[in-house]
């Protein structure tokens, strides 16, 4: 009688016992159930967004794109998308620049109090966002004053929202670029300097091409952080700075419209594109370092 070969997907050696194979199958089944539990809200939102009725329900008959049409052509939603793009774009540029510079400084071996500085830089990730938003509201409400009139006003302005999102997004850039710089060969910088290159030239021609995947990944995380943020906009923004998450939040509070499901589907698609891009950049970073998986 010929014994059955073990299932190759289990990743077990041929001499694995029946109990070990059963445990591995149970482990795979349990992980599948966990993933199904996590992804089930997304799976449910997608068909609801194609519902033809003016209320939230699972489409049982007619399917329609009316809510996507409302999302892309309604002034309220298009203005919210435009505000989100503008705020996320500028906050991404600022946070990527500041986070990359901070990571470069932290990567130096003789940097003093590195752990303390790193803890301060990533503190916006640890402190609850509502506390940060409330602190920014009171900070913006007491602007710099030379006379009786304030010369800097940041509440209810695009500048204030952009700076708030930059504060929240910079830690993601710092962590991502710092991780990329962990395997960077510092002798390349010394070699470039020995050939007469200035620090700016060495960074642009030697270091930046090697750490570019990490910088781009950090920029993507910063963009997503700004794009999805709603609490700071509620505290320090006005109706002129109504972003897409705030519009969705207002729609849930005032009246539940199926357009929210269409907006959620668009955000899900954007998140998938971002995750795929980050994964491709991660693989490129490994290839640049000579790591094979």
């Amino acid at each position: 009688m010929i014994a059955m070969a073990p299932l190759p997907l289990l990743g077990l050696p041929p001499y694995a016992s029946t109990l070990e194979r059963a445990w591995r199958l149970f482990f795979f089944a349990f992980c599948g159930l966990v993933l199904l539990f996590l992804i089930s809200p997304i799976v449910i939102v997608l068909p609801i967004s194609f519902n033809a009725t003016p209320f939230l329900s699972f489409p049982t008959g007619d399917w329609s794109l009316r809510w996507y049409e409302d999302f892309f052509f309604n002034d309220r939603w298009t203005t919210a998308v435009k505000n989100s793009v503008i705020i996320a774009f500028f906050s991404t540029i600022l946070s990527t620049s500041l986070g990359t510079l901070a990571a470069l400084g932290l990567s130096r071996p003789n940097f003093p109090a590195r752990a303390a500085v790193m803890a301060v830089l990533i503190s916006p990730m640890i402190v609850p966002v509502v506390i940060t938003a409330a602190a920014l509201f009171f900070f913006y409400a007491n602007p710099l004053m030379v006379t009786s009139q304030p010369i800097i006003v940041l509440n209810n302005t695009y500048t204030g929202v952009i700076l708030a999102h930059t504060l929240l997004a910079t830690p993601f850039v710092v962590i991502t670029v710092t991780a990329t710089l962990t395997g960077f060969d510092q002798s390349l910088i010394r070699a470039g300097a020995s050939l007469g290159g200035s620090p700016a030239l060495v960074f642009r021609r030697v270091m930046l091409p090697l750490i570019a995947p990490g910088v781009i990944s950090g920029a993507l995380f910063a963009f997503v952080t700004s794009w999805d943020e709603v609490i700071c906009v509620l505290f320090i923004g006005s109706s002129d700075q109504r972003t897409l998450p705030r519009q969705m939040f207002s729609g849930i509070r005032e009246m539940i419209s199926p357009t929210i499901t269409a907006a959620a589907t668009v955000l899900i698609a954007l998140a998938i594109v971002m995750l795929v891009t980050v994964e491709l950049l991660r693989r490129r970073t490994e290839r640049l370092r000579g790591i094979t998986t």
Side-chain angles (χ1 to χ4, degrees), residues 98-119:
L98 296 176
T100 302
L101 292 175
L104 291 175
L106 291 171
S107 65
R108 295 183 177 275
N110 57 349
F111 190 88
R114 181 188 305 173
V117 174
M118 187 68 174

Side-chain angles (χ1 to χ4, degrees), residues 108-206:
R108 295 183 177 275
N110 57 349
F111 190 88
R114 181 188 305 173
V117 174
M118 187 68 174
V120 173
L121 289 176
I122 67 173
S123 59
M125 297 177 59
I126 303 171
V127 178
V129 181
V130 64
I131 296 178
T132 303
L136 287 173
F137 173 78
F138 287 107
F139 177 75
Y140 289 170
N142 294 276
L144 180 64
M145 299 180 64
V146 176
T147 60
S148 59
Q149 298 295 326
I151 62 175
I152 297 178
V153 178
L154 294 177
N155 267 334
N156 302 327
T157 63
Y158 282 99
T159 302
V161 177
I162 290 172
L163 292 178
H165 284 196
T166 301
L167 174 67
L168 297 175
T170 300
F172 293 93
V173 181
V174 172
I175 292 176
T176 306
V177 179
T178 300
T180 305
L181 289 171
T182 301
F184 183 78
D185 188 2
Q186 297 291 335
S187 62
L188 296 176
I189 300 178
R190 295 191 293 270
S194 66
L195 295 176
S198 63
L201 180 63
V202 171
F203 172 77
R204 189 177 74 254
R205 301 292 295 274
V206 178

Side-chain angles (χ1 to χ4, degrees), residues 88 91-97 99-100 168-178 180 211-226 274 277-278 281 285:
S91 64
T92 298
I93 293 177
L94 289 176
S95 59
T96 303
S97 302
T100 302
L168 297 175
T170 300
F172 293 93
V173 181
V174 172
I175 292 176
T176 306
V177 179
T178 300
T180 305
I211 67 172
V215 175
I216 297 175
S217 298
L220 291 176
F221 280 118
F223 184 88
V224 172
T225 300
S226 175
M274 293 289 185
T277 305
V278 170
L281 291 172
T285 303

Side-chain angles (χ1 to χ4, degrees), residues 213 217 277-287 293:
S217 298
T277 305
V278 170
E279 177 62 20
L280 294 177
L281 291 172
R282 183 190 67 82
R283 295 184 179 183
R284 183 176 184 275
T285 303
E286 292 180 349
R287 289 197 300 269
T293 56

